[in-house]
Amino acid sequence: MTDEMRPLRQDGDRVWVASVHEADVAPYGRAVELSAPRIREWNRVHPSDLIGQLSRQSEVHRTLVVHARRPVGDHAIVGVVNVFNIVRGAFQSGTIGYNSFDPYTGTGLFAEGLRLVLALAFTAEPDGLGLHRIEANVQPANVRSAGLLRSIGFRRERHVRHMLFLEGGGRQASWRDHDSYAITAGEPPTPHRPNEHPRVVVVAGTGARRPGPAGALADELGVPLLSSRIISVDLIWQVLATSPPGAVVELDPDAVGRDAVLDGLHRADVPVERALLVGELPSDPSGITRVALQARAIGLG
Ligand SMILES: CC(C)(COP(=O)(O)OP(=O)(O)OC[C@H]1O[C@@H](n2cnc3c(N)ncnc32)[C@H](O)[C@@H]1OP(=O)(O)O)[C@@H](O)C(=O)NCCC(=O)NCCS
């Protein structure tokens, strides 16, 4: 083991976390034999995995084992977390993959272990990994895993199409969509912290087309469409005020003048310089993309 590959360890109340060791191989095998049918719903797993993991330990791939302080049954391995795709330079980031093992699964011990893993990941080298950002990718149907991440402070950042080629879940092996979650150093690990998506607001004329391109723009931006074709202008500003991600606001330009729009944005607490005002939206996909990019650029400043 090189200097950079120093063993890592972090102690908690009910668990302790340490870099993988040869002594973990046998208990890991027993842990997997107990838990494999449950885990294989979501992840490939085999009793001899840890032998392969031991040989893969490097500056870009670290395996951390969560141990129970008070073991139950014939092994003490609560779970295993791989920190991989470690990228240095301006990124200082890594991705985690993990499983918890019976009889400890569902007891909160793994969550405690994952918090210790984050502490190690964000501690400066040589006592920790000195990382700035940790990402985890979860199939949307894996609510237990996603709930665990949200409960220890991860934010949901985005939906990723066809991210990993996996089997399990009673389906044939296929490219599976994932939701991407992340936490960065210095962010308080507050449980169920709001996702804090940046707010994006576009105000556009209704134009002649029905349904108009405003729907396509709302889809591109991932925000609701508030249209004066459906609800009153007064209600639009009220709804916009309570919509954290923002909205595409579609208004009839003959009925609502520029001053009324500025007043409405003010009532909705949207600084006018953070909203994109367009007359008529383009109807072609390339035009929609351009408007969406401009709206994001303005919204994010
Ligand atoms: C995901 C997994 C690692 C979680 O381990 P666990 O032992 O169940 O987790 P813990 O008991 O330590 O923590 C559970 C926390 O997750 C959250 N959680 C659990 N079930 C949940 C559900 N159905 N909905 C939302 N959140 C849920 C809760 O916050 C819970 O804490 P609480 O019980 O204090 O409320 C485990 O279920 C597992 O091994 N799954 C199979 C493999 C897998 O999915 N790996 C990850 C692939 S991305």
Side-chain angles (χ1 to χ4, degrees), residues 12 23 111 117 183-184 190 205 216 239 242:
V117 168
I183 185 166
T184 50
T190 314
V239 176
T242 59

Side-chain angles (χ1 to χ4, degrees), residues 1 39 63 89 97 100 107 110 112 130 179-180 185-186 203 225-226 238 253 257:
M1 212 171 256
I39 292 174
T63 301
S100 75
T107 61
F110 185 75
E112 186 182 332
D179 283 333
S180 191
V203 182
L225 169 61
L226 305 177
Q238 288 181 49

Side-chain angles (χ1 to χ4, degrees), residues 14 78 103-111 144:
R14 295 183 298 162
V78 171
Y104 305 103
T105 197
T107 61
L109 263 66
F110 185 75
R144 187 157 196 99

